[in-house]
Amino acid sequence: MDVFADALLVLARWDVLIALLVGSIGGVAIGAIPGVGPAVAIAILLPATFSLDPIVGLTVLLGIYGSSMYGGSIPAILINTPGTAVNALTTYDGFPMTLRGEGRRALSLAYSASFFGGIFSVVCLILLAPLLAKVAPMFGSREIFLAALLGILLVVVAHKGQMLIAGALSGFGILLGTVGLEPVKYTRRFTFDQSWLAGGIDLIVVVLGLFALSQAFLLLTMDDEKIRITKSRGSLFQGFRELARHPRVAAISASFGVLMGMIPGVGEFTAQFMSYTSARKLSKTPEAFGHGSSEGLIASETANNAVPGAAMIPLLALGIPGEALTAMMLSVFYVHNVVPGPGLFAFQMDFIVALYLALLILNVLVVVFLLISTGWLVYLTKIPNRFLGVCILLLSFVGVYSIRNSGVDCAIAAVFGLIGYVLKRLNLPIVPIVLGMVLGGIMEVKLRAAMNRVKTPIDFIDRPIAFLLFCIIVVICVSTLWRVWREWTPVDRRKPGKKASARFAKRLAGRHTRHFDDRLKIQRRTRRYDHLGS
């Protein structure tokens, strides 16, 4: 009870309350504007949070991270344009409901499903993070190195069809993290006798360039669209009653969101697709999916809002981020000398409890705000793209310069902005670069520490957790190579004999049709917004 009381005192401060309001309301507004997204907003705000207390800065960033998905459902449902990349699947059932004149019902259902997913993930964070933190003292240098390596591997494997380029970009991120003074003997690496490279390439500069500046360049080169908002009928409060009639869909979808959020590199869209597929299989009316099904809308919105809280579990317990946004939040911890892991739970439990309560309050504030102000937020979708691009460009350069008052940092950010712009235009992933920089530094330090105690390669995995992580890495590598081989090897070489080959080809074609037909439809609907997912 003393810890709970201390946490309440932390939350009762005026700056924390302002952070709660700014994070919740600002995140909704950002999510409702197509083309911006939480990554851009967090990248711009990140330098400003370094001067704030950790709980204040993290509350703002987490509020934007989670509430942007609430706001992203508004344009997805009303104008068939996903506000954020993870709301792409929401258009599949939300917009058909709007065409039937049930836009308010769809929005209400999306808000209630998002609220359930958000609260469910926070509860899982409260229950699972302390358990993982108790196991964390068993993680030595070898185990943390293998866990970081597993994170890089999962990020690469998660980009199906782009694994080679994702691996190359991860390696590029690791290379960027080695520029400057190395962490043991402080010798210069890859500086080429240039003094401005001695301090290394700052992670925040790279993040602002890859996410914010690249998006600004993209918006400046896009044409504005004439958006027509369809009038709808219904009550914004009826969604909670309708959600209660589908508890199984909501529970399964939230579970998928939590599971996918805990796995590095997987993300919200994978959780959405898996929950949507399972909901359709379990539904009594699967033919309604894609034509305005309430179950489909619940599945997609519950899953994507269950991810943010779950993504904090490995970050708080082990200090290992699973995606770009949690990697940005990790920098807030390090700036204030707050080290995530078992020590955080042992010595700063009031901070952890305050963070839990802040997440719960944020979800409540977002739902209340949306139920009151949806009619006004709709007009944010009409902001011209070029105006948004100029605003993001100015704010990004101000944020970069404020880090170290360096014009060189602005030039580096501009270069990475162009790199990010090219990657987005080519529909190539950006996240592997950021995670490569973060996890690469962890891997280097821990590998050097571990090698002092290792005599043979077997010694590296002679402890239970290290051996388990090594086995998982081997299984993922082997299964991925096997799947790639199966996809690229001709059918007649895998199944000898004409009849067997024909039978196998028919079964293979049927399987691919069943599993990828929905993805093809979604890609056709959202092809013009693919750049948002980068």
Side-chain angles (χ1 to χ4, degrees):
M1 289 301 294
D2 292 338
V3 173
F4 186 77
D6 293 339
L8 288 177
L9 289 176
V10 171
L11 288 179
R13 290 164 36 190
W14 66 269
D15 52 353
V16 178
L17 295 177
I18 292 176
L20 286 169
L21 289 173
V22 171
S24 57
I25 297 174
V28 170
I30 288 165
I33 304 173
V36 181
V40 176
I42 289 175
I44 292 173
L45 288 174
L46 199 57
T49 60
F50 292 162
S51 60
L52 304 175
D53 284 347
I55 185 65
V56 179
L58 286 171
T59 299
V60 173
L61 299 184
L62 280 173
I64 292 173
Y65 182 18
S67 60
S68 63
M69 298 175 195
Y70 283 85
S73 64
I74 297 174
I77 290 171
L78 296 181
I79 60 174
N80 201 27
T81 303
T84 67
V86 298
N87 295 110
L89 198 58
T90 305
T91 63
Y92 206 44
D93 289 288
F95 188 63
M97 294 175 74
T98 299
L99 294 179
R100 295 200 305 254
E102 300 176 350
R104 286 181 177 271
R105 175 193 168 210
L107 287 173
S108 175
L109 203 54
Y111 298 160
S112 18
S114 299
F115 178 75
F116 177 80
I119 296 296
F120 186 91
S121 67
V122 175
V123 172
C124 290
L125 171 64
I126 294 171
L127 297 176
L128 296 179
L131 295 177
L132 191 58
K134 290 180 180 178
V135 179
M138 302 172 63
F139 279 69
S141 299
R142 285 169 272 182
E143 288 80 6
I144 295 177
F145 168 79
L146 290 171
L149 178 61
L150 177 61
I152 290 282
L153 182 62
L154 288 171
V155 170
V156 174
V157 172
H159 292 85
K160 293 182 180 179
Q162 295 180 321
M163 285 190 288
L164 187 61
I165 189 65
L169 292 173
S170 298
F172 178 58
I174 294 173
L175 176 63
L176 291 175
T178 61
V179 175
L181 299 177
E182 56 94 9
V184 178
K185 297 182 180 180
Y186 297 103
T187 56
R188 293 192 176 191
R189 297 184 302 193
F190 304 114
T191 58
F192 306 103
D193 293 328
Q194 300 294 317
S195 58
W196 57 275
L197 282 175
I201 298 176
D202 192 89
L203 173 66
I204 309 306
V205 174
V206 175
V207 166
L208 278 164
L210 288 176
F211 288 94
L213 289 178
S214 65
Q215 190 65 26
F217 296 153
L218 202 62
L219 290 170
L220 289 171
T221 56
M222 290 171 58
D223 294 329
D224 294 324
E225 297 182 12
K226 293 182 179 180
I227 296 174
R228 185 175 64 88
I229 300 171
T230 307
K231 293 184 179 180
S232 56
R233 61 178 182 272
S235 171
L236 287 175
F237 294 90
Q238 69 186 76
F240 290 97
R241 295 193 300 270
E242 194 165 354
L243 179 69
R245 294 200 292 267
H246 303 286
R248 182 174 63 175
V249 175
I252 293 175
S253 302
S255 300
F256 273 121
V258 169
L259 181 61
M260 296 299 107
M262 292 175 61
I263 301 175
V266 176
E268 293 89 350
F269 189 80
T270 304
Q272 269 192 320
F273 187 81
M274 293 179 68
S275 63
Y276 191 88
T277 304
S278 64
R280 188 175 62 178
K281 288 180 179 179
L282 296 173
S283 175
K284 296 180 181 178
T285 56
E287 67 281 356
F289 280 66
H291 302 283
S293 169
S294 58
E295 291 177 281
L297 188 58
I298 290 172
S300 60
E301 282 298 303
T302 304
N304 63 29
N305 279 271
V307 171
M312 294 295 293
I313 295 174
L315 178 67
L316 290 176
L318 301 175
I320 296 178
E323 57 175 356
L325 298 179
T326 49
M328 298 181 204
M329 294 176 198
L330 183 62
S331 63
V332 178
F333 281 98
Y334 286 159
V335 163
H336 295 282
N337 294 320
V338 178
V339 181
L344 195 62
F345 287 83
F347 304 109
Q348 292 181 277
M349 196 61 195
D350 56 339
F351 172 81
I352 295 293
V353 175
L355 196 61
Y356 294 160
L357 294 175
L359 288 171
L360 291 171
I361 296 171
L362 278 169
N363 280 279
V364 176
L365 285 175
V366 170
V367 170
V368 173
F369 175 70
L370 282 170
L371 292 175
I372 296 172
S373 60
T374 296
W376 302 318
L377 289 170
V378 167
Y379 293 98
L380 290 175
T381 60
K382 295 186 175 184
I383 297 177
N385 290 330
R386 290 185 176 88
F387 177 76
L388 282 175
V390 170
C391 291
I392 293 172
L393 201 65
L394 292 174
L395 291 172
S396 299
F397 278 120
V398 169
V400 171
Y401 188 79
S402 66
I403 297 173
R404 294 187 291 196
N405 296 331
S406 171
V408 174
D409 284 346
C410 293
I412 294 174
V415 170
F416 280 101
L418 292 174
I419 294 173
Y421 173 76
V422 172
L423 291 175
K424 287 182 177 181
R425 294 290 291 182
L426 296 175
N427 287 325
L428 297 177
I430 291 177
V431 173
I433 299 177
V434 177
L435 288 182
M437 288 189 69
V438 175
L439 296 179
I442 295 173
M443 289 168 61
E444 180 186 6
V445 173
K446 298 304 178 182
L447 180 61
R448 286 193 170 194
M451 293 306 294
N452 293 328
R453 304 178 182 87
V454 173
K455 304 300 181 184
T456 64
I458 301 299
D459 294 341
F460 205 88
I461 55 173
D462 62 351
R463 295 195 293 206
I465 294 181
F467 182 73
L468 177 62
L469 291 171
F470 175 76
C471 291
I472 294 173
I473 291 172
V474 171
V475 168
I476 291 174
C477 290
V478 171
S479 62
T480 302
L481 292 173
W482 173 254
R483 186 178 67 249
V484 172
W485 181 84
R486 296 277 292 181
E487 290 176 356
W488 283 93
T489 305
V491 175
D492 55 354
R493 289 181 58 184
R494 284 183 259 161
K495 286 281 185 176
K498 294 183 179 179
K499 291 184 179 179
S501 297
R503 190 165 54 249
F504 183 78
K506 184 177 180 180
R507 186 169 68 250
L508 187 67
R511 185 178 64 191
H512 278 263
T513 300
R514 287 193 304 273
H515 284 283
F516 296 108
D517 186 47
D518 288 335
R519 288 189 179 182
L520 185 60
K521 290 180 181 178
I522 295 167
Q523 288 173 359
R524 286 173 180 168
R525 281 173 171 266
T526 60
R527 188 177 290 123
R528 297 173 63 188
Y529 309 101
D530 285 344
H531 63 275
L532 297 176
S534 300

